[in-house]
Amino acid sequence: LKSEMYGGCQIIVVCALCLLAIASAADETVHDLSSSGAGFVKRIASVEEFESGILNNQDIWFVVFSAMSDDETKLKGVNREKCQKVEDSMIDIAVAMNAHGVQVALADVDDVSALASEFNVRKRMLPMAMLFKTRVRDGDVYKDLASKDIPDLERSVLAALEENPRRSDGHPEKIMLAVGGGEL
């Protein structure tokens, strides 16, 4: 947004291209354009994307499950205020997690309903998160996210990652399990 004076009239020049880029990216990501590059939140839109991007990915992921629908029938049993509070703090959560090499994703339970069922994520429990620190189809559960402050959440995640091996940059590495001499 830039404000300039021309002939006594104030004209506001808006970078339409930037707004278009932000709007088109909104479906896939929420991104804090900070100078550190931290604050990236991946939006998971399907079971397939969850499988490939989270479970089969070599990175450690902190996935927040929420309900983002505008359809009141889909929101039955959901505390929408709590979900919105956590969604609004996603960039802050991502900045804290990214600083430790943990990636952050946001998934709507309706978009990943089969996996939500597999991981026992229920709408009445939203918002909640899971930390995927191994390649096993299991994660550490973080309930009642709306009442947690980010430093406490960060300490809790770091404590859960104490036994994970470290990469050369000192960040925790996802535990890869070997079965019969091969990696999972």
Side-chain angles (χ1 to χ4, degrees), residues 109-123:
V109 291
D110 290 321
D111 293 343
V112 295
S113 59
L115 287 169
S117 179
E118 178 182 341
F119 296 129
N120 200 29
V121 176
R122 304 288 181 248
K123 287 186 176 183

Side-chain angles (χ1 to χ4, degrees), residues 29-119:
T29 60
V30 178
H31 193 159
D32 174 15
L33 301 174
S34 65
S35 60
S36 67
F40 180 78
V41 178
K42 180 172 181 53
R43 172 74 168 82
I44 302 295
S46 69
V47 170
E48 294 78 18
E49 190 177 354
F50 195 101
E51 291 275 354
S52 64
I54 306 298
L55 297 176
N56 296 328
N57 188 290
Q58 293 183 358
D59 293 325
I60 295 172
W61 284 87
F62 185 81
V63 180
V64 175
F65 294 91
S66 191
M68 297 173 268
S69 175
D70 291 330
D71 183 348
E72 289 300 319
T73 58
K74 288 184 177 182
L75 293 175
K76 187 174 181 173
V78 173
N79 186 327
R80 190 63 197 125
E81 293 78 27
K82 284 184 176 182
C83 287
Q84 188 62 55
K85 180 180 177 185
V86 171
E87 289 167 27
D88 291 345
S89 66
M90 286 300 296
I91 289 176
D92 294 329
I93 291 170
V95 168
M97 298 299 162
N98 292 167
H100 303 287
V102 176
Q103 305 304 312
V104 176
L106 177 64
D108 186 318
V109 291
D110 290 321
D111 293 343
V112 295
S113 59
L115 287 169
S117 179
E118 178 182 341
F119 296 129

Side-chain angles (χ1 to χ4, degrees), residues 5-6 53 67 69 79 87 92 97 101 105 112 125 129 158 169 179 184:
M5 296 291 289
Y6 290 101
S69 175
N79 186 327
E87 289 167 27
D92 294 329
M97 298 299 162
V112 295
M125 302 163 66
L158 289 176
D169 63 3
V179 176
L184 282 180

Side-chain angles (χ1 to χ4, degrees), residues 93-162:
I93 291 170
V95 168
M97 298 299 162
N98 292 167
H100 303 287
V102 176
Q103 305 304 312
V104 176
L106 177 64
D108 186 318
V109 291
D110 290 321
D111 293 343
V112 295
S113 59
L115 287 169
S117 179
E118 178 182 341
F119 296 129
N120 200 29
V121 176
R122 304 288 181 248
K123 287 186 176 183
R124 62 183 160 69
M125 302 163 66
L126 298 178
M128 66 176 287
M130 293 184 75
L131 178 66
F132 294 93
K133 61 183 183 175
T134 69
R135 290 283 299 266
V136 176
R137 295 181 69 86
D138 189 21
D140 295 356
V141 176
Y142 295 81
K143 295 181 182 179
D144 199 21
L145 283 181
S147 67
K148 293 188 185 328
D149 67 350
I150 294 172
D152 284 344
L153 185 60
E154 183 178 11
R155 281 188 291 277
S156 179
V157 167
L158 289 176
L161 295 172
E162 283 181 355

